[in-house]
Amino acid sequence: MNAEFGKVVRAFWTIALHNRTDYRLFGSNSGLGGGAVGTSFEDLARVVESGNLRERVNFLFNGVARDLVPYLMGGVEPQHPVIGIERRDRHRTEQMRRYERERDELLAAGLDPEDEDQEMEELEALVRTPLRPWEVRPPLSPAERRLAVRDGVLLWSPAGQTHTLPMVADFQARSEDSGGLVLTGTSGSAYRIITHVARLTRLAGVPVDLGLIRSGLAGVLVGVGHHSFHEVMVGAQHALDEFDRSAASVYVNNWGRYWDVHPLTEEELRTHVAREGLFPDEHARALLAALEAGRAAEAAAERAGGAAAEGAGGAGRAGGSAGTSEGNDADGRR
């Protein structure tokens, strides 16, 4: 996957330099999003030549989000109508609203710079990734670490910490029916990047495996915390539907979605990804079977208890009748 991304970023880099555009638009000096290395020619050229997957995804994301890549590839694409409608439902998370509210109060308090910086550091933890630097895969490069780590803390502020979709949103309802997990909504980044990588093939004749690009996007966007797997795959599928559905395997939006993740085989997924070697739908079926077995056992116990109670009541009534008869006999004898 990284080799395929290397081919793509090298092509866009070459085209950008040839057209004398501002190559710095491929970079970022913010360590909040994951994969940023700076904006210098040397840092970006290193990403093109030997960057890790996260750095290269960030390179492409910046180039597309800032419309450099669209400018080189025939113009800005219209927003996908489904994603456009869905964005109306997206809103800030509770922790993001709290962060903004308390940040404004802090800035208005007029504290001395040292105290303000300390308070701001504590506030930023509200929207920061729970990941620690040594947990990141692939490992942080020195350039990433310079921007994204401070005092041993990873500064990423992923979209999953700052934005969400309410449960009443249409995308939530549709995803729940198909077993898809929702974090921030369909990935517009996956849609845009796949669109322009497809244009690269069509306009510049650079052959690209879009299935590998899609999987690389899923790995990074999910790994950083921007989107769920389902959201990335749906966004990518929107682009593939417009370009060429046969350019990559069609994403199957059902409970078996995790069985086919190109280029991994089912055996590889079971061994290295699936918890206890079982896919989520298999875990769900096992849980459902256990719940049904439990309910059946409870029902059987209730029936057995009812039958025992009825039997005990019948025996009691029979015993009471016998006693009365004996009493009458005794009275008669007396």
Side-chain angles (χ1 to χ4, degrees):
M1 287 186 285
N2 193 27
E4 204 69 10
F5 270 86
K7 182 195 307 182
V8 171
V9 299
R10 187 174 297 109
F12 283 134
W13 179 250
T14 301
I15 295 170
L17 295 181
H18 177 77
N19 285 274
R20 300 180 182 276
T21 54
D22 187 358
Y23 61 80
R24 293 173 299 179
L25 295 175
F26 286 118
S28 171
N29 288 312
S30 171
L32 300 182
V37 300
T39 58
S40 73
F41 182 91
E42 293 75 17
D43 284 331
L44 295 173
R46 198 269 308 165
V47 170
V48 171
E49 293 304 319
S50 61
N52 64 42
L53 183 60
R54 187 174 47 252
E55 291 173 323
R56 286 172 166 172
V57 168
N58 184 267
F59 181 103
L60 277 183
F61 171 82
N62 291 329
V64 171
R66 294 167 182 167
D67 292 336
L68 172 58
V69 168
Y71 168 77
L72 298 172
M73 290 291 107
V76 177
E77 80 293 346
Q79 185 180 48
H80 192 279
V82 173
I83 297 176
I85 293 173
E86 189 182 305
R87 284 296 180 270
R88 301 171 190 171
D89 292 326
R90 180 187 279 185
H91 61 233
R92 289 174 174 79
T93 60
E94 177 57 37
Q95 61 261 38
M96 183 62 177
R97 290 197 296 269
R98 177 185 168 190
Y99 165 76
E100 292 175 331
R101 182 174 61 253
E102 295 187 11
R103 179 200 58 192
D104 292 343
E105 294 172 356
L106 176 61
L107 294 176
L111 301 178
D112 65 73
E114 185 176 343
D115 289 341
E116 183 177 288
D117 289 344
Q118 182 176 350
E119 294 287 338
M120 193 65 73
E121 175 72 18
E122 295 177 2
L123 274 182
E124 289 172 353
L126 290 172
V127 291
R128 191 172 290 152
T129 177
L131 288 173
R132 292 164 291 188
W134 57 89
E135 295 175 326
V136 174
R137 294 292 180 274
L140 294 167
S141 70
E144 285 184 286
R145 185 174 293 274
R146 173 173 53 84
L147 291 176
V149 178
R150 184 171 65 220
D151 298 327
V153 175
L154 189 60
L155 303 180
W156 291 352
S157 180
Q161 295 290 101
T162 61
H163 290 83
T164 187
L165 285 182
M167 292 306 297
V168 296
D170 180 62
F171 184 66
Q172 283 274 21
R174 287 185 285 110
S175 298
E176 185 175 3
D177 289 341
S178 67
L181 298 179
V182 174
L183 190 62
T184 60
T186 301
S187 175
S189 299
Y191 169 73
R192 297 196 70 193
I193 289 173
I194 292 287
T195 293
H196 291 290
V197 173
R199 286 184 178 181
L200 178 67
T201 297
R202 187 167 59 239
L203 299 178
V206 178
V208 180
D209 184 333
L210 294 180
L212 289 177
I213 298 299
R214 178 180 61 184
S215 293
L217 289 173
V220 170
L221 296 177
V222 173
V224 173
H226 295 311
H227 285 288
S228 69
F229 175 81
H230 173 55
E231 293 169 340
V232 176
M233 299 298 278
V234 170
Q237 192 61 50
H238 285 322
L240 291 170
D241 288 343
E242 295 176 348
F243 173 70
D244 180 2
R245 287 175 65 89
S246 65
S249 59
V250 175
Y251 172 55
V252 180
N253 181 16
N254 62 27
W255 289 88
R257 73 188 74 251
Y258 301 107
W259 290 62
D260 179 18
V261 184
H262 176 76
L264 302 175
T265 65
E266 180 185 329
E267 181 181 359
E268 288 171 328
L269 289 167
R270 286 191 183 279
T271 302
H272 302 290
V273 182
R275 181 167 56 86
E276 299 172 4
L278 299 176
F279 292 107
D281 58 303
E282 293 176 311
H283 280 289
R285 283 197 294 271
L287 177 60
L288 181 61
L291 291 173
E292 290 176 343
R295 285 194 291 266
E298 289 177 1
E302 289 178 1
R303 288 194 298 271
E310 183 176 347
R317 288 192 298 273
S321 297
T324 302
S325 176
E326 290 173 359
N328 290 338
D329 291 342
D331 290 343
R333 285 196 294 272
R334 285 192 298 272

